[in-house]
Amino acid sequence: MRSSLAPGIRLIRALPRDSWYRGLTLVLTFLFYASFHLSRKPISIVKSELHTNCSSLIPPNGTNSTTWCDWAPFDQANYKELFGALDNAFLVAYAIGMFISGIFGERLPLRYYLSGGMVLSGMFTALFGLAYFWEIHVLWYYIIIQICNGLVQTTGWPSVVTCVGNWFGKGKRGLIMGIWNSHTSVGNILGSLIAGVWVSSAWGLSFIVPGIIIAIMGIVCFLFLVEYPEDVDCSPPLHHTESEESEEKDPEVTLSTDDGSCSRENTIDSSEYPKEPAEQPEAISFLGALRIPGVVEFSLCLLFAKLVSYTFLYWLPLYIVNVAHFGAKEAGDLSTLFDVGGILGLAFFILACCVAVLFLYNHIGQNGIASSTAMLIVCGALVNGPYSLITTAVSADLGTHECLKGNAKALSTVTAIIDGTGSIGAALGPLLAGLISPTGWNNVFYMLITADILACLFLSRVMYKEIKGWCGCYTRKRG
């Protein structure tokens, strides 16, 4: 007597073939970009170990130096400026490379481009950690490694966003990317926990292990990533349908096209001419991408949002060590709560609330473990929420704007422009934190509050247009 078909097999047979490949693409790209952030996080955890308070430790016999336990060259009085230079080497290279990366991403096979970048990123991350075992104490070595790592890590973001955009249509993208964009926070959490295991014993392993992980994920990318649905005989998504082009049925089109004639005229053009099978659409130019409504506003908003986010990313553990007087591992573990909040965390109102929360965290966030835990989770939700939203769903929607006539290859360039502009803010934040922190941590928080206010201002015009579009659509429906 045979048993009935196993429930798991029935589930597999019930789901269409396209759904399995889409699910695989979503999981793989999630893991790929989480591994990028996993490899970026160790530097913020290790900072407090590279320069620590030696007076609380028992010095070896015959040692009179007050910095005997520090790691040269970060044993100097200007160690905060050196840490800022280290962060800036990575982030400036990342910002410059990001503008170029999107152009290459449109013209090279994504699987080769992404997997190569991941393997190289793993190599440079591991080389930073090997300095511990090789006893390298010259600043230029760390600076060069950070610059090279910043450049190769630009392969990640345009590639994964383009790949997801190739598989998922605009209608499902909001929900899908709302879940998918938590990869940044997941990667930061895993990076903090992994780096914290070895930070006090052999900090070199805090870099080597994440480097090995991202290199392995690069090999997985090479073996399993499918760039386009057509490559495995799956149906491609519809980025714009006739119903979406109707202003009465979808207010989002009104929001997107309210700003200029480009979108409205091209919508008319697309209905006059029959669809031609364009196998290889031409890649959009840099200036052409800037003309898409909303790209400039969201890019400038992301600049200041990322300034705040990356200041927390690179300086939060050191701030907790200096102000709350936790150990390096405990500070690293506690800093993960900021990324937990990022998973839980509209953009305009979130950024506005963030101004008040940053002010509160500066004054009451270190009054105890309970207040630190609560304020970090709230700050993470309010800081990382808009940042993740703009870099994922907004970038993908603008990259498949109707004025592009279905040219999905523009998605990589639009994503690179928005994230590249944001990366300028990401570079400025840690640099300013390193320069300002010697004058007091209060001034650092005032700088972050100012950046959040500016982010709100750049987003206010877009918000006004969207509210106007919603009101217009509602009035037409009632009429």
Side-chain angles (χ1 to χ4, degrees):
M1 180 178 178
R2 292 186 179 181
S3 63
S4 61
L5 196 62
I9 300 301
R10 287 203 300 268
L11 176 63
I12 292 174
R13 294 180 63 181
L15 291 175
R17 184 169 175 270
D18 286 18
S19 297
W20 283 110
Y21 275 106
R22 284 188 169 87
L24 176 65
T25 301
L26 201 65
V27 171
L28 286 179
T29 51
F30 181 96
L31 295 175
F32 295 158
Y33 203 69
S35 66
F36 273 102
H37 267 264
L38 181 148
S39 66
R40 295 178 196 175
K41 188 63 178 177
I43 183 65
S44 66
I45 306 299
V46 173
K47 279 178 181 176
S48 58
E49 190 66 22
L50 296 177
H51 188 98
T52 188
N53 185 9
C54 300
S55 61
S56 60
L57 303 175
I58 301 175
N61 294 332
T63 300
N64 296 323
S65 173
T66 58
T67 60
W68 63 269
C69 64
D70 297 335
W71 186 270
F74 307 105
D75 56 347
Q76 307 298 320
N78 64 337
Y79 71 96
K80 290 182 179 179
E81 287 84 352
L82 296 181
F83 286 151
L86 209 59
D87 297 336
N88 228 44
F90 175 92
L91 293 168
V92 169
Y94 185 87
I96 295 173
M98 184 57 72
F99 289 101
I100 305 171
S101 179
I103 298 174
F104 281 117
E106 289 182 1
R107 293 160 174 81
L108 297 175
L110 283 180
R111 183 166 61 92
Y112 299 157
Y113 189 58
L114 180 57
S115 58
M118 295 176 75
V119 171
L120 288 173
S121 181
M123 181 185 73
F124 289 119
T125 302
L127 283 173
F128 195 105
L130 287 172
Y132 172 82
F133 299 98
W134 294 342
E135 296 187 358
I136 297 177
H137 298 282
V138 288
L139 183 62
W140 65 263
Y141 174 86
Y142 300 97
I143 295 292
I144 291 176
I145 293 297
Q146 287 288 82
I147 291 173
C148 294
N149 201 8
L151 289 174
V152 298
Q153 288 228 352
T154 59
T155 60
W157 188 240
S159 299
V160 294
V161 172
T162 301
C163 193
V164 172
N166 291 338
W167 278 92
F168 294 91
K170 185 176 181 181
K172 299 179 180 178
R173 195 177 290 144
L175 174 62
I176 293 297
M177 287 196 166
I179 301 170
W180 180 75
N181 67 16
S182 62
H183 47 45
T184 298
S185 297
V186 170
N188 289 339
I189 291 170
L190 292 176
S192 298
L193 296 176
I194 292 172
V197 173
W198 295 284
V199 64
S200 299
S201 56
W203 61 259
L205 292 174
S206 297
F207 291 90
I208 294 173
V209 174
I212 292 173
I213 291 174
I214 188 174
I216 291 174
M217 294 308 298
I219 297 172
V220 173
C221 173
F222 180 82
L223 295 176
F224 295 103
L225 183 65
V226 181
E227 300 176 28
Y228 298 97
E230 300 89 337
D231 294 343
V232 287
D233 299 323
C234 291
S235 56
L238 296 176
H239 293 294
H240 294 281
T241 62
E242 291 181 2
S243 61
E244 283 179 327
E245 291 174 1
S246 172
E247 293 181 1
E248 298 180 6
K249 292 185 179 180
D250 188 352
E252 290 186 8
V253 175
T254 304
L255 310 180
S256 302
T257 61
D258 186 66
D259 184 45
S261 58
C262 165
S263 304
R264 199 173 298 277
E265 289 174 359
N266 279 303
T267 302
I268 297 173
D269 292 341
S270 63
S271 63
E272 291 178 355
Y273 296 99
K275 294 182 180 178
E276 299 180 359
E279 296 182 0
Q280 295 293 333
E282 293 184 2
I284 191 172
S285 66
F286 184 86
L287 292 177
L290 286 177
R291 294 191 187 101
I292 299 173
V295 168
V296 174
E297 290 96 330
F298 280 113
S299 297
L300 293 174
C301 174
L302 186 62
L303 186 150
F304 293 103
K306 266 191 128 174
L307 186 152
V308 178
S309 179
Y310 270 69
T311 302
F312 273 92
L313 175 67
Y314 282 96
W315 286 87
L316 180 58
L318 185 63
Y319 170 76
I320 294 173
V321 169
N322 289 346
V323 177
H325 307 295
F326 286 103
K329 186 180 186 305
E330 290 77 10
D333 293 342
L334 188 61
S335 69
T336 61
L337 295 173
F338 180 80
D339 294 293
V340 171
I343 297 175
L344 303 177
L346 351 226
F348 179 85
F349 296 104
I350 292 177
L351 284 168
C353 293
C354 186
V355 173
V357 172
L358 286 173
F359 181 81
L360 288 175
Y361 179 63
N362 183 37
H363 286 81
I364 67 173
Q366 301 303 331
N367 291 345
I369 188 67
S371 61
S372 292
T373 300
M375 294 303 296
L376 281 173
I377 292 176
V378 174
C379 279
L382 298 180
V383 171
N384 283 342
Y387 153 51
S388 299
L389 183 66
I390 293 171
T391 55
T392 51
V394 172
S395 297
D397 281 348
L398 293 177
T400 54
H401 196 275
E402 55 264 32
C403 76
L404 299 174
K405 299 181 181 180
N407 182 7
K409 295 192 75 173
L411 181 55
S412 182
T413 298
V414 170
T415 302
I417 289 174
I418 293 178
D419 199 49
T421 306
S423 297
I424 296 174
L428 287 174
L431 175 64
L432 292 175
L435 296 175
I436 298 173
S437 58
T439 67
W441 287 104
N442 283 345
N443 295 328
V444 175
F445 275 89
Y446 294 145
M447 178 265 291
L448 298 179
I449 290 170
T450 302
D452 254 318
I453 292 173
L454 290 172
C456 287
L457 291 177
F458 281 113
L459 205 59
S460 59
R461 178 172 174 267
V462 176
M463 190 191 71
Y464 170 76
K465 287 165 53 183
E466 294 198 358
I467 293 176
K468 183 179 178 182
W470 288 334
C471 293
C473 178
Y474 178 72
T475 303
R476 286 193 300 273
K477 283 184 177 181
R478 291 192 63 183

